[in-house]
């Protein structure tokens, strides 16, 4: 089987972000002139002779033109050279970890990492022979102290899920590279519109494309982007060998979402800023987590490495878990559901939902914490809905 090379970013470097989101890897289709990238719903491709491929494709696990278009677009948006699209964000994370680590090696992770990432590392990779240390990545001294001769990877989220802590990407990259390690940044919460880790020194940007990149809560996917050719080739090999590829229809849906990422993210940020301000004035709210608040401990770093502060807001309430659960059940427009980054607003209780897997561990989240994915509805309606739920 011949492997199609990893999709490379060949877009015009002078193009703006929104222009690349619409055009990178998405030229009109040659045969008919179709402006939209076709859905190449096929598993295999005819060969003119044995081993002579018409466009580099022989089997859709190895490569598919719709997926290639998405991979090219994502690489362009992250300012990377190589992009790979996966069937889920966790498939992307698993591939990155297995391609970059081997048994006996060590990684550093956030002490408030996403529950699914923690579960993968703690329950799947530790039995495989990997070890890890969880530290607050906002504390560079703590990160430095956690590095060992066996450390080959720093795994970062910024902002983190669900406490919205901020890590200094450039600072983490310096620590990693001085120790001969690599830095992966899960850029899901920020999206490439708000933050580009590769430009700040990271080796890999990871996404759950299910979230802001897809943007419509109708597709599951993941992505890895890098400018390191060796890593790009390793990700491509593991993707083909392990098989967690994005299908053509899922790739098409994600690509459609990518086209409107810039305009959607501006509206998400507008609404989240207003929601955070409103929550600060509520008597039932004990604490608000949003990097756009000047008092947030990571505000200055976020302001330096992000375009804006994102669409995610978390807060703690008076009355503990019981009251938090009640508030989650009382909203009308904020739908009680897991996931995030869609056009509709969502509310959830991390301790009982997305982060239940860290219960009882050092990564356990507060039981009075509520997480909001602020959508793009009219802000007056969202504020009224939250006020009613908190009343």
């Amino acid at each position: 089987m011949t492997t199609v090379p990893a999709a490379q970013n060949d877009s015009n470097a002078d193009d703006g972000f929104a222009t690349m989101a619409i055009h990178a890897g998405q030229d009109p289709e040659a045969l008919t002139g179709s402006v939209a990238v076709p859905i190449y719903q096929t598993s295999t491709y005819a060969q003119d002779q044995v081993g002579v491929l018409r466009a580099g494709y022989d089997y859709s696990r190895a490569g598919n033109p719709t997926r290639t278009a998405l991979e090219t677009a994502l690489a362009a948006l992250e300012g990377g050279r190589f992009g790979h699209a996966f069937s889920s964000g966790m498939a992307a994370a698993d591939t990155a970890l297995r391609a970059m680590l081997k048994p006996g090696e060590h990684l550093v992770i956030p002490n408030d990492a996403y529950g699914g990432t923690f579960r993968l590392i703690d329950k799947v990779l530790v039995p495989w022979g990997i070890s890890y240390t969880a530290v607050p990545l906002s504390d560079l001294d703590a990160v430095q102290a956690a590095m060992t001769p066996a450390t080959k990877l720093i795994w970062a989220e910024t902002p983190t899920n669900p406490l919205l802590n901020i890590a200094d990407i450039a600072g983490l990259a310096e620590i990693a590279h001085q120790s001969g390690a690599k830095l992966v940044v899960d850029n899901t919460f920020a999206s490439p519109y708000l933050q580009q880790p590769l430009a700040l020194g990271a080796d890999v940007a990871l996404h759950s494309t299910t979230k802001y990149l897809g943007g419509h809560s109708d597709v599951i996917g993941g992505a890895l982007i890098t400018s390191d050719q060796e890593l790009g080739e390793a990700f491509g090999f593991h993707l083909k060998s392990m098989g967690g590829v994005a299908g053509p229809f899922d790739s098409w849906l994600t690509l459609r979402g990518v086209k409107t990422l810039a305009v959607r993210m501006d509206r998400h940020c507008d609404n989240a800023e207003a929601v955070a301000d409103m929550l600060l004035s509520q008597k039932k709210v004990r604490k608000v987590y949003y990097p756009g608040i000047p008092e947030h401990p990571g505000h200055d770093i976020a302001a330096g490495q992000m375009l804006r502060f994102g669409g995610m807001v978390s807060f703690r309430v008076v009355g503990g878990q019981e009251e938090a659960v009640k508030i989650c059940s009382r909203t009308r427009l904020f739908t009680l559901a897991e996931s995030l980054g869609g056009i509709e607003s969502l509310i959830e209780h991390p301790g009982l939902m997305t982060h239940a897997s860290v219960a009882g561990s050092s990564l356990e989240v507060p039981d009075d914490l509520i997480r909001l994915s602020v959508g793009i509805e009219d802000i007056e309606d969202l504020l009224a809905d939250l006020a009613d739920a908190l009343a």
Side-chain angles (χ1 to χ4, degrees), residues 130 193 223 236 380:
I130 300 299
Y193 180 65
E380 295 81 6

Side-chain angles (χ1 to χ4, degrees), residues 28-42:
E29 187 263 337
L31 181 63
T32 66
S34 172
V35 172
V37 173
I39 302 171
Y40 288 89
Q41 194 67 49
T42 184

